[in-house]
Amino acid sequence: LDCQEVGKSFGSAQVLTGINVKIARGQVVGLVGSSGCGKTTLLNMIVGTHEPSSGRILLNRDGVSHEVQGHGPDRGMVYQEYSLYPHLTAINNVALGLMLSSTNIPQRLFGHLTRSWPKMRKRHLEESEALLARLGLDGHTHKYPHQLSGGQRQRVAIARALIMKPEILLMDEP
């Protein structure tokens, strides 16, 4: 990851100016600063949900630098509030990303006719269950977020990000 002179403004409010950060593959980096200093804003620009007002953010894939332009599966984000869907169980929260990335709406609507959807859904749930077990949640896969502790909800959020196999995992106040 290479942030070059990255800046962000919201209207006349300059939130970030001239941020330069290089992070090599395998490094674990923490951003520390006071509340409101722009840490989350920088993470949102790296994940691709916010566009920098100035500078550029580059990701190196297979030795080639690519500028971040929107969200992509190579970057996963775990938000401060976890952002779990309250009507989905832990396993379904985790499997949702796989389902959405590997199918389109007609496949989800009509896949039961060709019998492809149940097989794919089973595979998604099996992968999700295995990941949740690796994170110590094997007895909690069918619980809803309100039935989980804060730490358990955070691990479900981490699993949801990891299931997509991102190259970079961003965590806002882990």
Side-chain angles (χ1 to χ4, degrees):
L1 172 70
D2 188 6
C3 298
Q4 301 175 345
E5 292 297 316
V6 172
K8 182 66 178 174
S9 300
F10 293 101
S12 62
Q14 186 74 31
V15 178
L16 294 172
T17 305
I19 302 296
N20 291 293
V21 178
K22 275 192 175 195
I23 301 172
R25 181 175 300 281
Q27 277 189 302
V28 176
V29 176
L31 300 175
V32 179
S34 61
S35 180
C37 74
K39 300 179 300 290
T40 300
T41 300
L42 181 59
L43 293 178
N44 283 328
M45 288 188 293
I46 294 169
V47 83
T49 57
H50 288 70
E51 196 172 309
S53 302
S54 60
R56 38 192 227 153
I57 299 173
L58 303 170
L59 298 173
N60 189 314
R61 284 187 224 115
D62 302 319
V64 179
S65 289
H66 301 275
E67 193 163 355
V68 168
Q69 304 211 335
H71 185 39
D74 55 345
R75 288 156 282 138
M77 179 80 165
V78 179
Y79 291 94
Q80 189 174 354
E81 296 295 324
Y82 316 136
S83 301
L84 300 177
Y85 291 103
H87 64 286
L88 296 178
T89 61
I91 195 169
N92 285 309
N93 261 288
V94 175
L96 183 64
L98 290 175
M99 178 190 76
L100 295 176
S101 70
S102 60
T103 62
N104 57 37
I105 292 172
Q107 287 173 312
R108 291 191 289 275
L109 291 174
F110 303 113
H112 64 282
L113 298 175
T114 63
R115 297 191 180 137
S116 63
W117 175 243
K119 290 177 191 171
M120 191 179 303
R121 181 75 177 143
K122 183 178 184 225
R123 191 179 75 244
H124 295 160
L125 291 170
E126 287 170 352
E127 284 183 52
S128 300
E129 186 172 31
L131 183 54
L132 287 167
R134 279 184 39 212
L135 295 175
L137 293 168
D138 46 344
H140 305 282
T141 56
H142 296 291
K143 290 183 179 176
Y144 291 90
H146 74 275
Q147 297 171 311
L148 300 169
S149 71
Q152 291 167 333
R153 285 193 300 269
Q154 187 171 43
R155 283 183 278 157
V156 172
I158 292 168
R160 191 174 58 189
L162 289 176
I163 199 78
M164 301 308 295
K165 299 175 180 67
E167 298 212 16
I168 297 174
L169 181 61
L170 304 163
M171 300 177 77
D172 193 2
E173 298 200 25

